[in-house]
Structure formats: C-alpha cells, structure tokens
Amino acid sequence: MIEEIAIRGLGVIESAEIRPGSGFTALTGETGAGKTMILTAVALLMGSKAPTGLVRGEKARVEGRLNIAGFDDLAEALEDAGGELEDQELIISRSVPAQGRARAVAGGASVPAATLAELTAGLIVVHGQAEQLRIRHSGRQRMVLDAFAGADLELPHNRYRAAYARYQSITAELAERSSSAAGRAVEAELLRHDLEQIAAEDPQPGEDVELRAEEARLANVAELMIASDQAHAALSDPDAGDDAQGRIGSAVRLLERAGAFDDELAHLAGRLRDVGEALADVAADLASYGSALDADPARLAAVQARRAALGRLTRKHGPSLDDVLAWAAEQTPRLADLDSDDRRIAELAEERAEVLAVLADEAAQLSNLRAAAAAALSEAVTAELHGLAMPDAELSVRLTGTPDPDGLPLAGHTLAFGPDGVDAVEFLLRPHRGAQPAPIGVGASGGELSRVMLALEVALAGADAVPTMIFDEVD
C-alpha cells in the first residue's frame, strides 16, 4: 500500500506530503485545489508519460513510499532492475524538468518509466471516468468476471486458448492451400520442369570451374607446348652448352675449389648446389608436362558442349554451378510440399475437426465455471451496493451466446466462439425497486457506475487483492 507521497513543483502544488495510511481516505477540495495533481503524481509513480506543461519552475519531483510486504515477486523484479528494498518498503520517484528528459528511480536505481509501471501494476489501481467507460463494454465485463473466478478458471482458460491458437493455425493453412490450389499447381509444374532439367544434366560440385580450366588448356595446346619446350631447353640443353643447369654447375665447381680457402664461399657453393637441384626438378616436370600435352579436338568439343549445357542452368539459377545445386536442394522439399496438397488438405480437415471437438469441451467447461462465478459475483456486488446508499439495487451477470452455424456445438446449440470461449458477458443493474434490469453500459448514471466500480473492486479483492485502490470523481 502507499505509505507516503511527496510532491514538489507540480501544477498548483508547490510542496505537499500525503500519508494516507490504512483503511479509507477521502481527498476533497474545491476546483483548482490540486486534487487532479495528486492523481497526476500517482500516475507518474506508475510510469505514465511526464507532463512537462505542469512543471512549476525548473523541475517537478514526486516520490512515493510503498509497503510491499508479501509481494515477493515484486522484490525479485526490483532486484533484477538493480534496486533494493528498505525494510519491505519500495521507494520510487520521478523527476520531471521543464526541459529535457524525465528520470525515474526505483529502490535507488535509475530505471525506465516502463519498469515503474511493472512494479506498481499489482500495488495500485486507479478508477476514473475512463475506467467507467471501459466497464460498459462486454469484453471488459468478461475480464472482470474471469478475474473474480480466479485460479479455478485460469487453467481451463489457458487450455482453451492453446487449442484456439492451434485451430487458427490449422484454419489459416487450410484456407491458404484451398484458395491457392490452382496457383500452387502451376508453381509445382514449373518447379518440376526446372528440377528435372538439373537432374538430367547431373551437375557435380565445382564441375564448371574444372571444365573452364580444361577448356583453356585444350584450346591452347600449341602455345603451351612451345612454352614448355622452350623453358625446358633454357633450363636443360646439354647440346647447347649454355643452359641454366650447365652454367650453375660451372659456378658450383668454381666456388667449391675456392671454398677450400674461405668458408663463406663454401657455404654459397652449397646454396647454389641446392638451386641447381631445384632447377633439375623443374626441368624434369616441364619435360613430363610437354610429353603429356596432346591436341584433342573431340575432347575440346565435348568440354565446350558440357559447359554450354551447364551454362543454361547457371544463367537461370546461378551464377555458379554450386548456386544451382543449392537452389535444387532448397526447392526439392518445396515441390514435395506442393505435390502433397490434396493429402495435406485432408489431414488439415481432420485435425480441424479434432481441435473443434476439444474447443467445444473446453468452452463448455469455461461456460459452467463462468456461470457459477457470475452467480457469486452478482451476490457479492449486490451486497456491497446495499452499503453504498443503493439499498434496493441489484447487479446480475448474464451469459449469452451468439448462434452461428459454423460455431461450436454446446448444449444443443451451435454458438460463435473466439479466443475466450463462446460467452458474451453482460452486467445488468437494477438501481431500485420497480426498475427493470438494464445493461450498465446503457442505463447506469455516472454515480451509479462509480458505486458499481467500487463494489466490484471490493468483490474482486478476494480474488486479486490490490493494496491501494484510488477512485476519482466518486459520487
């Protein structure tokens, strides 16, 4: 609960401290006295957007001290945010400069405003005219009823939502496959044609690179022969007498004789001898290379034809043959998926029927639990209204379903369903004797709605207790 709020420089409030304590606290005052600024201060502590237009002077500051004894999960969340408690008390603050960014602090740690919203969500609830407008809607009324039902409803509700999510996924896939059957058939035929072309050529990884190199050799055999023969002759030609091996051999012999008088020359002779041996190896390799060369026009034509065939594939799915193979590997399962449409549609239809049966069972359980909770909530709120100057008032909770031929079969009816079941929840208020019960969104006055909201909060306290409840504009 809120132990203390300190406000500085906010709107009409220059400085104020509020210590509401436990139980009921009423804040009253004339127009302009600062009641709205107190609510604004609470909103700031709850992470709302900072209103720079309401800052007095250079900066406004709001600090709150909240007792969170028993809220162990909030203590853990504060620790995760880097803050610390002080004797089971959470100290939070907001500083709002006239210009610049606002700052939020929780437990001594700077935090985003969103963290304040998370920390205070289970500690403070504010009801004003906006909440009165929301409670007029059936969806909000269902949420209130479900909160009152508590843990008894939570587990079946979660099971229903999981089944509903599965139903939506199945329905979407079924609709997509059914509506695009013609287009998928065309796609399948195009894919099949391309994959068959690739399979017919049976390309191998890296084959295009190897063929390119082979074609270059076969197309230039004469030039390669001349180059290898001339290079071999320059390295090793005993008849000429001035080949590289002969010259190096002569140099080695000269250095070896002189090396007897100088170790450095002996060392150089050894190095040059190694060079001669390397040249001999290269000369031998050149001789082997030249003898292996052979002009083969037939093989050249075959390589060129193969490259042309592979080129048609790479132009369509390339740029390289490896890209073609990767595309084929990616599209093969896609073709299998497209070819399985009829079988998959039948499977989906069967799965959808099974999920609908599960949804019907879970929806029936939800409706039964809500019906029991509706009776209890009606009784509890009616009792509270009697203590709020509405001695003859009665609140009733009505559950209805909408007929739908494509809905869920429940108790002899086929009802429309959504993510929360088949129930439309409606709060009906009979404000006094002789009046007909009417939906609170239609006939209830602002004062009556205020009382209903207060009575609902009291009734819900047992299911989802909030330490601090604030009501704005309560009649």
Side-chain angles (χ1 to χ4, degrees):
M1 60 173 289
I2 296 177
E3 298 283 354
E4 180 180 7
I5 297 178
I7 307 171
R8 303 285 186 275
L10 183 63
V12 299
I13 298 177
E14 182 176 350
S15 178
E17 293 181 0
I18 304 169
R19 299 180 181 87
S22 61
F24 177 76
T25 300
L27 298 178
T28 64
E30 298 178 354
T31 300
K35 301 186 298 298
T36 300
M37 289 303 100
I38 294 174
L39 285 174
T40 301
V42 173
L44 283 171
L45 295 179
M46 296 176 68
S48 295
K49 184 178 179 180
T52 55
L54 297 177
V55 176
R56 289 171 63 101
E58 295 182 357
K59 181 173 69 174
R61 177 178 171 81
V62 180
E63 182 174 300
R65 182 164 54 87
L66 291 78
N67 188 320
I68 64 169
F71 288 82
D72 295 338
D73 55 337
L74 292 182
E76 293 177 4
L78 177 63
E79 184 177 349
D80 292 341
E84 297 180 352
L85 293 178
E86 296 183 10
D87 298 328
Q88 295 298 307
E89 289 187 341
L90 169 62
I91 309 299
I92 54 179
S93 67
R94 292 287 296 278
S95 297
V96 185
Q99 295 182 343
R101 296 175 61 87
R103 183 169 178 261
V105 176
S110 293
V111 297
T115 300
L116 291 187
E118 294 172 2
L119 292 172
T120 59
L123 299 174
I124 307 170
V125 62
V126 179
H127 289 292
Q129 293 179 349
E131 181 62 24
Q132 292 179 14
L133 291 175
R134 285 194 290 270
I135 199 64
R136 295 173 182 266
H137 298 289
S138 176
R140 180 62 177 169
Q141 293 170 19
R142 182 199 55 74
M143 292 173 63
V144 170
L145 178 62
D146 288 355
F148 181 79
D152 291 341
L153 187 75
E154 184 176 3
L155 184 58
H157 199 180
N158 289 339
R159 289 199 304 265
Y160 177 90
R161 282 181 169 173
Y164 186 78
R166 177 61 182 150
Y167 164 79
Q168 285 187 305
S169 174
I170 292 171
T171 301
E173 184 180 352
L174 187 58
E176 192 274 334
R177 286 182 180 271
S178 300
S179 64
S180 60
R184 290 170 66 89
V186 172
E187 182 185 356
E189 287 307 310
L190 292 175
L191 275 179
R192 184 175 292 105
H193 176 266
D194 287 353
L195 290 172
E196 287 176 352
Q197 279 188 328
I198 294 173
E201 296 298 341
D202 191 24
Q204 301 302 310
E207 184 183 358
D208 51 343
V209 177
E210 296 174 0
L211 289 174
R212 186 185 306 115
E214 185 178 0
E215 182 183 8
R217 287 196 302 273
L218 291 171
N220 298 278
V221 168
E223 184 176 346
L224 294 174
M225 283 182 174
I226 293 172
S228 60
D229 287 347
Q230 290 181 349
H232 180 267
L235 295 178
S236 178
D237 188 357
D239 297 335
D242 62 348
D243 60 308
Q245 281 187 278
R247 289 175 176 272
I248 289 176
S250 299
V252 169
R253 289 189 291 275
L254 289 171
L255 292 176
E256 285 178 339
R257 286 195 296 272
F261 310 108
D262 190 331
D263 290 342
E264 184 176 355
L265 283 181
H267 175 69
L268 291 174
R271 290 175 59 190
L272 194 57
R273 190 182 305 108
D274 293 340
V275 172
E277 292 173 356
L279 284 177
D281 291 341
V282 172
D285 290 343
L286 283 171
S288 298
Y289 177 85
S291 63
L293 285 175
D294 185 21
D296 189 345
R299 176 57 185 168
L300 175 61
V303 168
Q304 291 173 334
R306 178 62 173 170
R307 288 197 67 201
L310 296 180
R312 287 190 289 271
L313 300 180
T314 56
R315 282 193 296 274
K316 194 169 185 179
H317 307 293
S320 71
L321 199 56
D322 287 345
D323 295 317
V324 173
L325 294 171
W327 180 87
E330 179 182 332
Q331 295 303 317
T332 297
R334 171 61 177 170
L335 177 59
D337 178 61
L338 293 171
D339 283 341
S340 67
D341 266 359
D342 291 341
R343 175 181 55 80
R344 182 57 180 158
I345 287 174
E347 290 176 352
L348 289 170
E350 184 177 349
E351 290 180 33
R352 185 172 180 271
E354 293 173 356
V355 172
L356 283 172
V358 173
L359 284 172
D361 290 342
E362 297 292 350
Q365 185 175 0
L366 284 179
S367 295
N368 291 336
L369 291 170
R370 283 182 178 138
L377 181 61
S378 299
E379 182 178 350
V381 173
T382 296
E384 292 297 332
L385 289 175
H386 291 172
L388 294 172
M390 296 181 70
D392 298 319
E394 179 182 353
L395 182 86
S396 57
V397 181
R398 181 171 65 189
L399 302 181
T400 58
T402 302
D404 184 346
D406 296 323
L408 295 178
L410 272 82
H413 301 281
T414 305
L415 303 177
F417 63 101
D420 297 296
V422 299
D423 303 310
V425 179
E426 193 168 38
F427 290 177
L428 305 175
L429 178 66
R430 190 198 68 185
H432 53 79
R433 293 184 185 277
Q436 292 296 317
I440 62 173
V442 177
S445 66
E448 291 168 345
L449 273 179
S450 296
R451 290 174 169 84
V452 170
M453 291 300 304
L454 179 55
L456 282 170
E457 283 296 343
V458 174
L460 288 171
D464 185 19
V466 177
T468 301
M469 294 181 287
I470 301 174
F471 291 84
D472 183 23
E473 302 287 351
V474 173
D475 186 349

